[in-house]
Amino acid sequence: MHPMLNIAIRAARKAGNHIAKSLENAEKIESTQKGTNDFVTNVDKEAETIIIDTIKASYPDHSIVAEENGVIEGKDSDVQWIIDPLDGTTNFVKGLPHFSVSIAVRIKGKTEVACVYDPMLNELFTAQRGAGAQLNNARIRVKQLKDLQGTVLATGFPYKQKQHSESYFKIMSSLFVDCADFRRTGSAALDLCYLAASRVDGFFELGLKPWDIAAGELIAREAGAIVTDFAGGTEYMKSGNVVASSARGVKSILKTIRENGNEAILK
Ligand code: IPD
Ligand code: CA
Ligand code: CA
Ligand code: CA
């Protein structure tokens, strides 16, 4: 195993166990808002500190981009760890036990290793570039689709960018004609991993951040998914707009997005 994946897993498990333990003492969770509908808790910050300390102990010179601390420049700017300490904070705040820790390592702009850990189910999703994706060490693969018939698609609502609601729900209602159903699980990182494990057939969301996407994207691709932005390109880490599925699934979802989305989101 890549030594950095080893450290990523150690950090994700430590942070995940801290988050799960914190949920047992719900009265000690302090929730504030970073912006409209955008929650953060002391536990998000504590989990992030655990991860950063674990990385720094082995790799003091690497750079880090973490949701709650922002960019931490290291001497070695070629290696960048991208961290979401708690993906699914809204679920966590409500006591809804579906959330994850997401850690990816990018070297010269290419994601090399990734892990997403769900501490409530003790499920660890991992991937190493070129070496496939695993759930608890067992190989996972994306289901190949013919079309959207019978599919379940995961998505996230644009709750922080409600100016895009109209366009988004037009896309949803058009897709709803073709697919069987939708899931809005509340953790984009797990949505991408669930796609990788064929628990859902496709995923799309707009307005995501690099830490929501980085680890899940490699895990999905290593499981055989195609991942694109809303224009069918590869700029999703910049635009935050992601479509992921098997090749035919992506084609169908992109067509619907193109036909129903307004110009502001077609990137
Ligand atoms: C959020 C989750 C959610 C997605 C949001 C993200 P957070 O991340 O991934 O599923 O819909 O767009 O911001 O803030 O809970 O880490
Ligand atoms: Ca957040
Ligand atoms: Ca997130
Ligand atoms: Ca988060």
Side-chain angles (χ1 to χ4, degrees), residues 14-80:
K14 266 199 216 168
N17 293 341
H18 176 72
I19 296 166
K21 195 100 199 101
S22 305
L23 207 55
E24 290 169 15
N25 293 306
E27 69 286 349
K28 287 197 186 139
I29 301 170
E30 295 149 31
S31 167
T32 53
Q33 284 199 31
K34 291 198 267 189
T36 318
N37 306 322
D38 189 4
F39 301 101
V40 63
T41 73
N42 54 312
V43 179
D44 296 57
K45 292 174 191 162
E46 288 157 15
E48 190 160 291
T49 303
I50 291 170
I51 297 165
I52 292 171
D53 289 350
T54 308
I55 296 166
K56 288 275 174 204
S58 294
Y59 300 109
D61 293 342
H62 289 180
S63 304
I64 294 174
V65 179
E67 180 177 6
E68 312 306 341
N69 283 276
V71 179
I72 304 169
E73 304 277 7
K75 272 188 222 140
D76 187 349
S77 57
D78 281 351
V79 189
Q80 193 179 54

Side-chain angles (χ1 to χ4, degrees), residues 4 32 42 135 141 149 173 180 253:
M4 290 183 204
T32 53
N42 54 312
L135 163 53
R141 284 187 182 84
Q149 226 201 334
S173 79
I253 298 168

Side-chain angles (χ1 to χ4, degrees), residues 148 153 170-180 182 204 252-253 256-257 260:
L148 293 183
L153 305 180
K170 258 179 86 184
I171 294 167
M172 284 280 277
S173 79
S174 175
L175 280 173
F176 197 49
V177 175
D178 298 321
C179 72
F182 291 113
F204 70 101
S252 304
I253 298 168
T256 311
I257 290 175
N260 295 279

Side-chain angles (χ1 to χ4, degrees), residues 67 84-89 100 102 159-160 186-189 208-209 211-213:
E67 180 177 6
D84 191 336
L86 204 180
D87 187 55
T89 299
S100 61
S102 169
Y159 67 100
K160 284 181 277 190
S187 167
L208 290 169
K209 298 288 186 201
W211 44 81
D212 301 315
I213 305 168

